Amino acid sequence: MANTKRYSIVCCLLVGPSRPPPPVSFDDGRGSAVGACTPGTYGLGCSYICHCSSNCNDVTGCFGSCQRGWSGPKCNKENIALGKLTSQSSYWRTSIQSSRAVDGSPKTRFTEHSCIHTAPGHPFTWWKVDLGSEFYIHKLAIHLRTDYKGRRKGVTVYSSVAEIQTNTGHLCGSIKSTSPDVTWMTCDDIARYITLYRDDSSTGDTAMSFCEVQVFVCNAGTFGDDCSQFCHCGDGPCNYVTGECSGGCKPNWTGQTCSECDSEHYGPLCENPCSSRHCDDSRGKSSCNKTTGRCDNGCTAGWKEPDCIKECDSDRYGPLCENLCSSRHCDESRGTSSCTKQTGRCDNGCTAGWKKPDCTKECDAGTFGDDCTLFCHCRDGPCNYVTGECSGGCQQNWTGQICNECDSDHYGPLCDKSCCGRHCDESDGKPSCDRQTGRCDRGCSAGWIEQDCTKSCDSNHYGVNCKSLCEDRHCNGEQLCHHELGYCNGGCLTGWTGLTCVEAVTGPEGNRDSIATISLAVVAAILLVLLIASVLWHFRSRNSQRNNVARQFISSTSDDRTEAEPSGLDSGSSYVNAGQSNEYEQLDVLNSPQNDYDKITGV
């Protein structure tokens, strides 16, 4: 390929502009945003000139009709012979000027006054055009007369740097009688002059007559037969046919012709970084289409367009920008709520009956009120999502107009705990039941703790508030004492007596053997059973008739025991401490367990 160092561009059909082109900026290549180029320029670095009558986009260039002398889809192909200086060897008529062949007229009939004609009778004739400067000439076009084809044969076309009037120079091609009306020729030569020469000795007629000569070149930075392709070389023009850049590409561009975006950029000018997109990558990283930058899985909420770099309009938000800010039910009592592009969040929460964050959905079934934070427990269907009113009554254990209160017999967050299952101190009557906590107003009965008195003392404590220690007793066995009254389940150790084994045995009785101690424990156990039976009977019946029955039962039992027990101890007796008083004889079945506990323990 010929050296193109001296020329402004090496592109397409016939390469090189008809006049010195405007400087092509080989800058950092980042291009200009749409609307940033001055009128009449476009493209990468605004380095391309618009050659259209109107409608020139800042990025993509011309569309529509081109200016005179320019053609192609982007108006980038220029006829550099148009209006240039011409001359010819002779004139059939002096009025028929040589400039007719570069006047840009598409007419090809001689009578239309747009064709040249040399005089006959000469050994040869010629016509030439001076392009004004040297260009690398790739192709040219000759528009022949269509009304008379007899003078086509024998015409040859030459290109040259120096002015010639003969058939010397670089042969571009020749014309035959059968040549098409528009004949294209390839020169591939550096030249300033194009010369048409005819020497037809076979007929003796050397006159020439044709209508237009065109020499096309591409605008700087373009290539291809119609100059519609762009090359973005780093340090000079690209090859006029292939677009190849010999010195590398501008930033953001890649490929043999530097016409593709690199892996990190996209867009018509490769000006957009792939990292600037707001793609939904929840199902894997989105590829970056080199032309559109399209996000494979769409955009994250608040963004739109194929490449997801444009925010939702001011009145929209959310995925695909499909939600209207005006459709929200925000609480605007403290001022208008902003509409964030991602969530549409209401700054001050929602009006009653609507859910956060954007307040466009009604409360779920069973909830109502501000931000849907209140609960209702309706029996038939959901409650009113604004007021919480239940039209069909409440679920079991619930009461109130909005069915959010426990009835009188239940308590707890779910009203699923019975007030009757607690062990409250009932010494002053039936205790009230707090509907939330089940708290016993006067505390718990002996042996029970927690605010609702449903947990018994652990194995080492007993009594009111479980503050008494079983280890203070002298009980026999592993299970020390009962959690309510503190009595010893397995009797007392040797040397101790009483229901709670806190009384030391004194005198001769202190030396009794363990059999006597065990006997006493048995008696104590029997007495305890009687005591518990009496207390349970008291809990189950509060009428006087049953109280009388209980007294008779206790009295008769006490009399029988008194008659059966001996007044002293002998070798045949199985009783110990026979002369000792019985704590249970002093219990009153009309008293509460708390009072019984006080009498037994002395607390």
Side-chain angles (χ1 to χ4, degrees):
M1 181 177 292
N3 183 9
T4 61
K5 183 176 181 180
R6 294 178 294 167
Y7 309 103
S8 60
I9 194 165
V10 193
C11 304
C12 59
L13 305 180
L14 294 173
V15 182
S18 60
R19 54 187 175 278
V24 177
S25 174
F26 295 102
D27 56 9
D28 64 357
R30 298 191 182 278
S32 302
V34 175
C37 292
T38 58
T41 63
Y42 74 98
L44 186 64
C46 300
S47 58
Y48 296 90
I49 296 177
C50 301
H51 297 289
C52 43
S53 301
S54 59
N55 302 325
C56 185
N57 184 278
D58 287 45
V59 175
T60 60
C62 292
F63 57 97
S65 59
C66 302
Q67 295 175 352
R68 184 173 182 266
W70 293 85
S71 60
K74 299 291 184 181
C75 301
N76 285 330
K77 185 169 67 173
E78 182 186 12
N79 174 18
I80 60 173
L82 179 66
K84 296 299 176 59
L85 182 63
T86 61
S87 60
Q88 64 187 54
S89 59
S90 60
Y91 296 88
W92 180 56
R93 291 179 183 174
T94 56
S95 61
I96 303 175
Q97 299 296 314
S98 62
S99 60
R100 283 186 175 185
V102 292
D103 63 359
S105 173
K107 299 175 182 179
T108 58
R109 297 177 65 86
F110 189 76
T111 56
E112 295 174 317
H113 310 292
S114 185
C115 303
I116 66 101
H117 203 301
T118 62
H122 296 276
F124 62 86
T125 56
W126 54 265
W127 175 97
K128 72 175 182 294
V129 59
D130 181 358
L131 300 176
S133 60
E134 296 177 1
F135 297 95
Y136 188 89
I137 307 300
H138 179 49
K139 285 186 178 181
L140 54 81
I142 309 297
H143 293 253
L144 303 173
R145 281 179 62 181
T146 58
D147 58 345
Y148 181 74
K149 302 182 180 182
R151 292 188 174 90
R152 296 183 178 185
K153 182 181 178 181
V155 177
T156 53
V157 181
Y158 298 91
S159 63
S160 62
V161 174
E163 185 176 2
I164 61 171
Q165 300 173 351
T166 62
N167 57 349
T168 60
H170 177 76
L171 177 64
C172 294
S174 60
I175 301 174
K176 302 176 181 178
S177 59
T178 57
S179 294
D181 295 337
V182 180
T183 300
W184 289 89
M185 297 179 183
T186 301
C187 289
D188 284 340
D189 183 44
I190 297 172
R192 174 175 176 171
Y193 299 92
I194 300 296
T195 302
L196 276 70
Y197 180 87
R198 188 176 190 226
D199 179 5
D200 190 355
S201 58
S202 62
T203 62
D205 183 5
T206 59
M208 285 190 301
S209 183
F210 55 88
C211 301
E212 193 75 19
V213 175
Q214 294 175 312
V215 180
F216 291 105
V217 298
C218 289
N219 199 10
T222 64
F223 71 98
D225 284 345
D226 58 3
C227 304
S228 62
Q229 301 180 68
F230 294 84
C231 53
H232 304 286
C233 303
D235 58 357
C238 59
N239 182 278
Y240 66 95
V241 175
T242 65
E244 182 177 359
C245 294
S246 59
C249 304
K250 291 183 179 181
N252 303 350
W253 296 88
T254 189
Q256 187 175 8
T257 62
C258 299
S259 58
E260 302 176 18
C261 298
D262 62 24
S263 61
E264 297 300 326
H265 295 85
Y266 72 96
L269 301 179
C270 298
E271 74 277 20
N272 299 321
C274 295
S275 59
S276 68
R277 304 174 306 156
H278 297 269
C279 302
D280 179 5
D281 292 338
S282 59
R283 289 175 286 173
K285 186 177 181 180
S286 175
S287 62
C288 189
N289 183 283
K290 302 307 176 190
T291 302
T292 65
R294 179 180 295 276
C295 292
D296 300 332
N297 302 322
C299 309
T300 57
W303 300 90
K304 64 178 183 176
E305 302 296 335
D307 58 353
C308 305
I309 63 171
K310 186 175 181 181
E311 277 194 296
C312 297
D313 296 335
S314 59
D315 62 337
R316 291 183 174 272
Y317 71 96
L320 304 178
C321 300
E322 62 185 3
N323 300 324
L324 290 171
C325 295
S326 58
S327 67
R328 303 174 305 157
H329 297 267
C330 302
D331 180 4
E332 298 181 355
S333 59
R334 287 172 289 173
T336 302
S337 177
S338 63
C339 187
T340 58
K341 302 305 179 187
Q342 286 69 42
T343 64
R345 181 181 299 277
C346 291
D347 300 332
N348 302 322
C350 309
T351 57
W354 299 90
K355 295 171 59 177
K356 289 182 178 179
D358 62 353
C359 307
T360 58
K361 295 181 179 179
E362 295 179 357
C363 295
D364 294 333
T367 63
F368 71 98
D370 293 341
D371 298 331
C372 304
T373 56
L374 302 177
F375 294 88
C376 53
H377 303 276
C378 302
R379 182 176 59 202
D380 298 323
C383 61
N384 183 287
Y385 65 94
V386 176
T387 65
E389 184 176 356
C390 294
S391 59
C394 303
Q395 295 178 9
Q396 185 177 1
N397 301 348
W398 294 89
T399 188
Q401 186 176 10
I402 57 177
C403 300
N404 66 343
E405 301 176 11
C406 298
D407 62 22
S408 60
D409 293 327
H410 294 85
Y411 72 97
L414 301 178
C415 295
D416 56 345
K417 296 181 179 180
S418 173
C419 294
C420 299
R422 300 165 309 140
H423 297 270
C424 300
D425 179 4
E426 300 183 8
S427 58
D428 294 333
K430 183 178 180 180
S432 61
C433 180
D434 185 278
R435 296 297 177 261
Q436 298 298 321
T437 64
R439 181 185 299 276
C440 293
D441 295 339
R442 286 171 293 278
C444 305
S445 61
W448 299 91
I449 55 174
E450 302 292 355
Q451 62 181 6
D452 60 352
C453 303
T454 57
K455 183 178 180 181
S456 63
C457 302
D458 60 32
S459 60
N460 196 41
H461 293 81
Y462 72 97
V464 177
N465 296 324
C466 298
K467 291 184 177 180
S468 300
L469 291 172
C470 291
E471 63 185 19
D472 292 340
R473 304 298 195 230
H474 301 278
C475 299
N476 182 39
E478 295 181 358
Q479 189 172 355
L480 298 179
C481 64
H482 188 271
H483 67 282
E484 290 183 347
L485 302 179
Y487 60 81
C488 293
N489 295 322
C492 303
L493 294 174
T494 302
W496 298 91
T497 187
L499 185 62
T500 57
C501 302
V502 294
E503 300 178 18
V505 177
T506 60
E509 294 181 352
N511 297 323
R512 306 291 188 190
D513 56 21
S514 59
I515 295 178
T517 302
I518 294 173
S519 298
L520 179 60
V522 171
V523 173
I526 293 173
L527 294 177
L528 177 61
V529 171
L530 295 176
L531 173 62
I532 293 173
S534 175
V535 172
L536 291 178
W537 190 271
H538 169 69
F539 285 164
R540 293 176 182 176
S541 173
R542 296 181 180 273
N543 60 67
S544 60
Q545 181 179 358
R546 292 188 177 181
N547 285 339
N548 292 332
V549 173
R551 290 191 185 96
Q552 293 174 3
F553 172 76
I554 297 297
S555 176
S556 62
T557 305
S558 177
D559 293 341
D560 292 342
R561 186 176 62 249
T562 303
E563 294 176 358
E565 291 176 353
S567 59
L569 178 67
D570 57 31
S571 60
S573 175
S574 61
Y575 293 92
V576 295
N577 301 326
Q580 183 176 311
S581 63
N582 192 332
E583 294 93 332
Y584 286 97
E585 293 179 353
Q586 306 301 320
L587 296 183
D588 186 347
V589 294
L590 295 180
N591 289 336
S592 69
Q594 182 69 46
N595 293 334
D596 294 339
Y597 169 82
D598 293 343
K599 291 182 178 181
I600 294 174
T601 61
V603 177

